Amino acid sequence: MSLLLALPVMAADHGGGHAAPAADSHAAPADDHGGHGGHGAPAKPIEPLPVTPHGLPVELVRTLQLLQDRIARGSTQAHLAQRQLLVHIEQKLTELDPETWAAPENVRAVVTFALAGGGPGALRRVIATGKVPEAEAPLAQGALDFLQGREKEARARLAGLEARTFPSGLAGQLALTQSALLVREAPVRSLELLDLARLLSPGTLVEEGALRRQIFVVAQGGDAARFEALSIQYLRRFRRSVYAGNFRQRFAAALTRLDFDSDRTRIVSLERMLDEIEPESRRDLYLLVARAGLEQGRRETALFAAERAAGLAGPDTRAAAQARLYRGAALIVADGRFEEGTDALRGLDRAAFTEADAELLDSALSAAGQIRGPLPLPAPTPAEANARRAVPEAPAIGRAREALARAERALEP
């Protein structure tokens, strides 16, 4: 029993004697015509707060949400524990008496659990009990439709629900779900719902996820100013999130849509965004941007990002070698810088790279050979020589032709 709930009982235990003193020591003096010997009027018992205990489904889901908020702050332990907790909660929910689901708050709790990663299993069994109140049926069935891929039915049931009217634990999750259902058909409304999800669930994993989605929706729409503003928010507040790695991969791909060749002011914007993170992570992000730029034929983007990464990489490190690789691959198709690029590529040790980067080096050298004649490939490692493992030719030639085509387009007036 809480202290507040116990206070009236403590006061009553005084029986016919003096009541417990009021919380405010400056009590009003007793009335001249009454009271107890001039000692002031007896204090009235403090009324207990109207606290209603919640059922087990609500408490279980609150535990899950607290764990997920730690994930948004970067706790890998919480992320590892999440799967086990989801299994535990689902088991507990399915063991409850069917009459549990006659209470609206319990139905909303199981919907929250399902949308927060619990999946459709428990929700499906709850609906099958037939105890879900009629007023909660559109929410419960709409959430189940969404989780089972029936988007048309889910939109019909969930679109008319006002997220603001639901409890805080569910409100943001519902707005996030509604946004996902509308992102293709009504992207503007989808963005509004993501704004709402963030407003309703500040500092939570729901806000982190909503902000991530917003960034990529506005990137697809070409809104550079809002992309920059949202990205800075994410990098300031959630850069340690367990899901930040996924964000950075997609962020790098989105950045390649910025044309650094025709709009140099974008460089300032990019640097302003990346200055929000520590140098090591900034270096890795520049490398991701450089690689994505090469894959998408964005020469200037790749060159700019590779040079920035090189400035942040220590000498004789893998990051430095990657930066030289990406820079050299971009230079062979840059006007007047072919020789600089080929020299850089020839000086690289193929064994220093991952398989993907080693294949990129092969492709870049093959493309250079197509442009100016054959160039010697880097010497194989002893293990490669002993195994007589030849560099795959067909994929490299295909990529070389693609690079050559991009080079020819870049050199056109």
Side-chain angles (χ1 to χ4, degrees):
M1 181 178 292
S2 71
L3 178 61
L4 287 174
L5 293 174
L7 282 174
V9 177
M10 294 167 62
D13 284 343
H14 287 278
H18 295 291
D24 185 351
S25 60
H26 301 287
D31 188 282
D32 287 342
H33 304 287
H36 297 268
H39 294 291
K44 294 181 179 180
I46 298 175
E47 293 294 329
L49 293 175
V51 176
T52 303
H54 291 292
L56 182 61
V58 175
E59 297 302 333
L60 288 171
V61 172
R62 283 180 173 175
T63 301
L64 173 63
Q65 290 176 322
L66 289 172
L67 185 76
Q68 291 182 332
D69 294 345
R70 290 174 56 199
I71 292 173
R73 294 192 294 270
S75 172
T76 54
Q77 290 183 335
H79 187 246
L80 292 173
Q82 178 181 228
R83 187 172 189 83
Q84 185 176 356
L85 181 60
L86 288 170
V87 172
H88 171 76
I89 292 176
E90 180 170 3
Q91 180 181 350
K92 289 295 183 182
L93 292 175
T94 55
E95 291 173 353
L96 293 173
D97 188 282
E99 291 299 329
T100 303
W101 310 115
E105 69 166 9
N106 291 337
V107 175
R108 293 176 177 188
V110 78
V111 168
T112 305
F113 168 74
L115 294 177
L123 180 57
R124 188 188 304 116
R125 286 189 282 272
V126 166
I127 293 173
T129 65
K131 299 297 183 179
V132 174
E134 185 178 351
E136 306 301 319
L139 171 67
Q141 188 60 54
L144 183 60
D145 289 336
F146 171 74
L147 293 168
Q148 294 184 332
R150 297 189 293 270
E151 292 192 6
K152 183 178 179 180
E153 293 84 350
R155 276 195 299 272
R157 291 188 168 100
L158 298 180
L161 301 181
E162 177 51 66
R164 293 182 183 87
T165 65
F166 287 85
S168 59
L170 173 59
Q173 195 74 60
L174 177 57
L176 195 62
T177 302
Q178 291 171 322
S179 169
L181 290 168
L182 296 174
V183 67
R184 287 189 295 273
E185 295 183 355
V188 174
R189 177 57 181 158
S190 178
L191 284 171
E192 291 174 352
L193 287 165
L194 289 173
D195 274 330
L196 180 61
R198 291 170 52 204
L199 179 66
L200 294 171
S201 304
T204 67
L205 190 61
V206 169
E207 186 196 7
E208 189 267 356
L211 188 52
R212 262 190 294 130
R213 293 186 191 182
Q214 274 191 305
I215 289 168
F216 302 121
V217 172
V218 299
Q220 291 173 356
D223 188 342
R226 196 172 185 197
F227 174 81
E228 178 186 344
L230 292 172
S231 297
I232 287 175
Q233 284 192 53
Y234 187 91
L235 292 169
R236 283 178 179 171
R237 301 182 58 230
F238 294 111
R239 66 176 179 271
R240 292 185 175 85
S241 166
V242 172
Y243 301 113
N246 171 270
F247 164 79
R248 291 180 183 186
Q249 291 280 353
R250 296 182 64 189
F251 180 67
L255 283 173
T256 61
R257 297 187 178 92
L258 303 179
D259 189 350
F260 295 103
D261 193 26
S262 61
D263 187 358
R264 304 297 292 182
T265 60
R266 297 284 176 85
I267 292 177
V268 177
S269 296
L270 175 58
E271 291 180 322
R272 187 161 50 233
M273 284 185 277
L274 299 195
D275 281 347
E276 296 295 331
I277 58 179
E278 58 277 6
E280 183 178 349
S281 296
R282 194 185 320 156
R283 176 205 66 202
D284 293 343
L285 198 43
Y286 273 125
L287 288 172
L288 286 173
V289 172
R291 178 71 195 233
L294 290 172
E295 292 172 348
Q296 298 183 22
R298 293 281 195 174
R299 179 194 64 199
E300 289 295 328
T301 300
L303 183 58
F304 161 75
E307 290 177 344
R308 289 295 189 276
L312 294 166
D316 302 323
T317 61
R318 174 173 286 185
Q322 282 182 287
R324 289 194 294 271
L325 168 61
Y326 301 157
R327 181 176 180 273
L331 285 175
I332 63 172
V333 292
D335 190 18
R337 305 185 71 179
F338 175 83
E339 296 296 339
E340 184 182 357
T342 54
D343 287 345
L345 293 173
R346 279 198 296 255
L348 296 173
D349 179 7
R350 191 176 187 276
F353 298 109
T354 63
E355 182 178 352
D357 279 343
E359 289 181 357
L360 175 63
L361 176 59
D362 296 342
S363 299
L365 288 169
S366 296
Q370 292 279 344
I371 296 171
R372 292 286 181 88
L375 294 170
L377 288 171
T381 64
E384 290 173 332
N386 291 337
R388 296 182 180 181
R389 181 167 61 87
V391 175
E393 288 295 331
I397 293 299
R399 287 190 292 270
R401 287 174 179 161
E402 294 174 3
L404 179 60
R406 290 197 295 269
E408 290 172 348
R409 288 195 297 271
L411 294 174
E412 290 177 357

